[in-house]
Amino acid sequence: MDTNAKLYQDLERVLITREEIHEAVKKLGQQITKDYAGKEPLMVCILKGAVMFYNDLIREIDLPITMEFMAISSYGNSTKTSGVVNIRKDMDVDITGRDIIIVEDIVDSGMTLSYLKKVLETRNAASISIATLLNKPARRRVDLDVEYYCFNIPDAFVVGYGLDYAEKYRNLPDIGVLHPRIYTNET
Ligand code: 5GP
């Protein structure tokens, strides 16, 4: 914890430790390896939040995967969703007939991934599934199948291990609940 001590001062508490993350990601990698045996899944990393998770997850998958990246709009500098979703960076390849796994940091209302899934469904993939590090089921506003997740978490704003607030805290090795004093002046 010492190397990031300043960042930890902005947390209310650590919610998930790096050891717990490591264990859960390893288990998920094994599960995907089993479920996609004989296939070559195309793993789509949703920038930037999923980068750490993606980086660790793909190395736990014992299959010939391919890597792609997309960027979609999230909350900007706010802790609340705008409900507006935009593709800022698209994939570079044709996904016809491919087995797609969308790798996301967190599913909250579900609106972002519901939109993205609909867009990808028009591109004739063989299958599309979602793998998220964190899942906030209590906050769901749309019907969305989440095939894989590492942790269900309560309704709190979390940062670390790729997740940010105003672009900060992504490099925290653990996941923590951000102290409300950090964002209470938000408009
Ligand atoms: P949704 O469309 O499911 O409401 O939101 C998905 C996106 O909102 C995530 O990709 C993430 O960028 C952001 N988000 C939702 N909850 C949190 C949270 O607790 N912490 C952080 N840092 N981002 C969140």
Side-chain angles (χ1 to χ4, degrees), residues 46 74-75 79 81 85 104-113 136 139-140 153 156-159 163-165:
I46 307 302
S74 66
Y75 296 3
T79 58
T81 185
V85 180
E104 177 64 301
D105 52 359
I106 184 164
V107 182
D108 186 46
S109 71
M111 287 165 70
T112 308
L113 284 195
K136 281 187 193 168
R139 298 254 310 165
R140 203 70 90 247
I153 62 163
F157 193 81
V158 296
V159 293
L163 289 110
D164 74 313
Y165 173 67

Side-chain angles (χ1 to χ4, degrees), residues 28-46:
L28 180 57
Q30 290 166 349
Q31 185 64 50
I32 291 174
T33 302
K34 222 170 111 193
D35 294 351
Y36 285 77
K39 296 180 177 169
E40 298 190 11
L42 192 160
M43 313 268 312
V44 185
C45 175
I46 307 302

Side-chain angles (χ1 to χ4, degrees), residues 7-182:
L7 295 179
Y8 280 90
Q9 286 169 14
D10 292 347
L11 297 184
E12 200 173 68
R13 64 196 161 104
V14 170
L15 188 66
I16 308 168
T17 65
R18 65 197 78 180
E19 291 81 14
E20 290 167 331
I21 295 169
H22 179 72
E23 272 314 299
V25 172
K26 197 170 161 182
K27 251 173 86 180
L28 180 57
Q30 290 166 349
Q31 185 64 50
I32 291 174
T33 302
K34 222 170 111 193
D35 294 351
Y36 285 77
K39 296 180 177 169
E40 298 190 11
L42 192 160
M43 313 268 312
V44 185
C45 175
I46 307 302
L47 299 170
K48 304 171 194 169
V51 163
M52 311 274 179
F53 174 45
Y54 185 84
N55 188 18
D56 287 342
L57 178 64
I58 59 172
R59 286 178 294 170
E60 299 293 347
I61 297 176
D62 189 14
L63 294 170
I65 66 120
T66 48
M67 297 167 67
E68 282 296 327
F69 296 85
M70 288 185 85
I72 45 188
S73 61
S74 66
Y75 296 3
N77 284 356
S78 167
T79 58
K80 299 200 178 66
T81 185
S82 62
V84 180
V85 180
N86 282 309
I87 294 181
R88 293 214 209 104
K89 183 212 174 307
D90 208 334
M91 284 185 267
D92 303 319
V93 293
D94 179 9
I95 64 167
T96 305
R98 300 296 307 269
D99 292 295
I100 310 294
I101 303 177
I102 301 170
V103 181
E104 177 64 301
D105 52 359
I106 184 164
V107 182
D108 186 46
S109 71
M111 287 165 70
T112 308
L113 284 195
S114 165
Y115 170 82
L116 182 63
K117 228 178 154 179
K118 279 196 189 104
V119 170
L120 296 186
E121 270 161 10
T122 65
R123 301 185 184 179
N124 306 315
S127 67
I128 303 173
S129 64
I130 293 172
T132 183
L133 175 71
L134 306 175
N135 188 31
K136 281 187 193 168
R139 298 254 310 165
R140 203 70 90 247
R141 283 166 59 188
V142 291
D143 195 19
L144 178 74
D145 289 333
V146 175
E147 287 79 4
Y148 303 104
Y149 65 88
C150 288
F151 303 96
N152 271 334
I153 62 163
D155 180 10
F157 193 81
V158 296
V159 293
Y161 192 66
L163 289 110
D164 74 313
Y165 173 67
E167 294 300 326
K168 272 173 76 183
Y169 310 104
R170 292 194 196 275
N171 57 324
L172 272 177
D174 307 292
I175 293 169
V177 176
L178 190 63
H179 201 289
R181 75 176 137 77
I182 306 298

